[in-house]
């Protein structure tokens, strides 16, 4: 978080004192923590009540801005180790009550903390519980609160944030980017870049090893290539080829294409191939923006060269162009 957000949470948590709740007969240690927070304008005093709860009684808010399924022991290892070494969770998650016989709360902020405590409890550390602060929040308030907490955190990907914003602008702000930007206190161009990222074609998204590696700058780099029919077709075909490689890697039949190479191949696919000099042979391609085949004739022999990354459709189109040139339609 930035210093601005750190200061907010420091004010809330600085003077908390734990008081056991004697009415807890089930063994769940509920702590009543209070802090006097001076409202700089009105001079009001606000009390916060924190509770230790079983994480199994908490579900994720369906519009939480983090994909819980992507959380693993590895990417939460720092938090798991921190809670274990401290003996408890230090900062509360923000939850709100729900009317559900299977759950008491839904998590607005604190998915990683929920995962870490749940992992500890499932791995022989059953003494750990989930520290939460329950609030009454509307969906729009919950969205803004989650955004404030997670905006500067690098462990939420640009693409996760973009999907969250795209949903929110339609759901809470009537599709008006200006209203949403004002409510979030961000610039319209900044918000627009994330909303553009959310529009990335699914074929491009599927080409990446996982969505956490998709950056806002990737959408900016690909936008001009995707805006033209010829280059867009080439980029999407290359994305399909990369996706198939990623699927083979997930099945254990190859290696993954990392995000940097995904972008390198996509941008290269969308750039027109410059023909080789006539002395090196003729280049035949399906369209002006496609990769092609180079045909070099030496005496009675013909040598044909092409890049290994060409798709079946590109190769077929290039060979058809060569055969038509040599033998007519």
């Amino acid at each position: 978080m930035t210093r601005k957000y750190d200061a907010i949470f420091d004010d809330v948590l600085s003077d908390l004192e734990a008081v056991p709740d004697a009415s807890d007969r089930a063994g769940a240690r509920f702590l009543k923590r209070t802090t006097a927070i001076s409202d700089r304008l009105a001079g009001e005093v606000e009390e916060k009540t924190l509770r230790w709860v079983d994480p199994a009684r908490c579900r994720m808010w369906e519009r939480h801005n983090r994909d819980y399924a992507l959380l693993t022991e590895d990417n939460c290892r720092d938090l798991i180790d921190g809670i274990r070494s401290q003996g408890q969770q230090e900062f509360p998650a923000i939850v709100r009550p729900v009317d559900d016989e299977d759950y008491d709360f839904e998590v607005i902020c604190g998915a990683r903390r929920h995962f870490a405590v749940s992992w500890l409890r499932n791995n022989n550390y059953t003494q750990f519980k989930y520290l939460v602060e329950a609030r009454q929040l509307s969906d729009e308030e919950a969205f803004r609160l989650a955004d404030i907490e997670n905006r500067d955190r690098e462990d939420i990907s640009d693409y996760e944030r973009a999907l969250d914003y795209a949903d929110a602008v339609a759901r809470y702000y009537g599709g008006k980017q200006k209203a949403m930007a004002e409510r979030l206190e961000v610039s319209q161009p900044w918000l627009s870049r994330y909303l553009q990222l959310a529009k990335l074609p699914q074929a491009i998204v599927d080409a990446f090893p996982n969505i956490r590696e998709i950056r806002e700058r990737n959408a900016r780099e690909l936008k001009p290539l995707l805006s033209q029919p010829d280059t867009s077709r080439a980029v999407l075909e290359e994305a399909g080829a990369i996706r198939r490689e990623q699927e083979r890697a997930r099945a254990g039949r190859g290696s993954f294409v990392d995000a940097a190479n995904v972008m390198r191949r996509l941008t290269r696919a969308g750039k027109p191939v410059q023909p080789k000099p006539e002395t090196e042979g003729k280049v035949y391609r399906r369209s002006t923006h496609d990769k092609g085949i180079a045909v070099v004739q030496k005496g009675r022999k013909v040598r044909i060269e092409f890049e290994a990354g060409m798709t079946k459709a590109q190769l077929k189109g290039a060979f058809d162009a060569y055969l038509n040139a040599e033998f007519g339609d």
Side-chain angles (χ1 to χ4, degrees):
M1 288 189 177
T2 63
R3 292 179 181 177
K4 172 184 175 182
Y5 301 133
D6 283 342
I8 294 172
F9 281 89
D10 287 345
D11 284 345
V12 173
L13 300 171
S14 58
D15 297 319
L16 298 180
E17 294 182 357
V19 180
D21 186 345
S23 66
D24 184 5
R25 299 178 181 178
R29 295 182 301 134
F30 285 88
L31 301 182
K32 184 178 181 182
R33 296 185 173 190
T34 61
T35 182
I37 301 175
S38 297
D39 188 301
R40 293 176 176 82
L41 297 178
E44 296 177 350
V45 175
E46 181 181 352
E47 288 191 351
K48 303 290 185 184
T49 301
L50 307 185
R51 303 176 181 178
W52 294 105
V53 301
D54 181 350
R57 297 293 302 174
C58 301
R59 71 188 186 195
M60 290 300 110
W61 181 36
E62 64 179 359
R63 286 187 285 279
H64 197 287
N65 57 6
R66 187 190 298 278
D67 188 340
Y68 195 87
L70 294 178
L71 298 179
T72 66
E73 177 188 353
D74 288 338
N75 60 38
C76 291
R77 173 50 59 187
D78 59 332
L79 187 55
I80 291 171
D81 291 344
I83 293 175
R84 184 166 52 188
S85 65
Q86 291 291 332
Q88 63 181 13
Q89 177 188 331
E90 291 295 315
F91 297 98
I94 306 299
V95 301
R96 65 180 179 182
V98 292
D99 184 14
D100 188 326
E101 64 180 13
D102 295 323
Y103 301 96
D104 300 318
F105 305 102
E106 62 182 5
V107 179
I108 307 302
C109 307
R112 288 184 81 242
R113 281 160 281 181
H114 183 275
F115 180 92
V117 173
S118 298
W119 187 94
L120 286 164
R121 288 172 62 84
N122 292 330
N123 287 273
N124 303 317
Y125 293 91
T126 55
Q127 73 273 24
F128 287 102
K129 293 204 172 176
Y130 190 41
L131 180 62
V132 302
E133 177 192 335
R135 297 188 187 179
Q136 295 292 339
L137 299 165
S138 69
D139 283 355
E140 193 270 342
E141 290 169 336
F143 160 72
R144 286 192 293 112
L145 182 63
D147 179 60
I148 288 172
E149 185 183 70
N150 292 317
R151 189 180 301 167
D152 296 327
R153 292 190 174 182
E154 294 182 358
D155 57 352
I156 285 199
S157 72
D158 287 358
Y159 190 67
E160 288 174 288
R161 182 171 289 112
L163 294 180
D164 189 35
Y165 286 173
D167 176 77
V169 72
R171 187 181 299 273
Y172 308 129
Y173 306 106
K176 298 177 181 178
Q177 294 185 32
K178 181 179 179 181
M180 180 173 172
E182 290 175 350
R183 194 70 168 142
L184 297 183
E185 298 183 2
V186 299
S187 70
Q188 289 191 61
W190 184 90
L191 177 60
S192 180
R193 289 196 296 270
Y194 279 92
L195 295 176
Q196 187 64 41
L197 173 58
K199 297 177 182 179
L200 210 57
Q202 190 61 42
I204 302 294
V205 174
D206 292 341
F208 284 82
N210 66 71
I211 63 170
R212 300 189 72 175
E213 297 190 41
I214 306 175
R215 307 299 180 197
E216 179 271 322
R217 66 175 181 272
N218 299 148
R220 277 187 283 135
E221 293 170 6
L222 292 173
K223 183 178 179 180
L225 300 178
L226 294 172
S227 63
Q228 299 297 323
D230 287 344
T231 55
S232 176
R233 180 177 61 182
V235 169
L236 293 176
E237 284 184 358
E238 184 67 14
I242 299 171
R243 175 184 57 79
R244 291 188 288 272
E245 291 180 44
Q246 308 287 30
E247 289 175 348
R248 288 195 292 271
R250 292 187 185 96
R253 300 196 305 270
S255 57
F256 284 99
V257 182
D258 62 32
N261 278 312
V262 169
M263 284 301 299
R264 191 174 296 114
R265 287 175 57 175
L266 292 178
T267 53
R268 188 174 58 193
K271 293 179 180 178
V273 178
Q274 299 299 323
K276 294 182 178 180
E278 288 295 323
T279 56
E280 296 186 18
K282 295 182 178 180
V283 177
Y284 298 88
R285 55 177 64 86
R286 182 179 55 176
S287 69
T288 56
H289 298 292
D290 267 354
K291 297 176 182 178
I293 60 174
V295 179
V296 179
Q297 183 168 354
K298 290 188 176 181
R300 296 176 61 83
K301 294 183 178 180
V302 175
R303 185 179 76 245
I304 298 177
E305 297 178 350
F306 54 87
E307 292 186 22
M310 289 182 65
T311 66
K312 179 179 179 180
Q314 289 173 335
L315 278 172
K316 184 177 183 302
F319 274 104
D320 285 345
Y322 165 65
L323 293 173
N324 289 338
E326 288 293 312
F327 304 106
D329 294 337

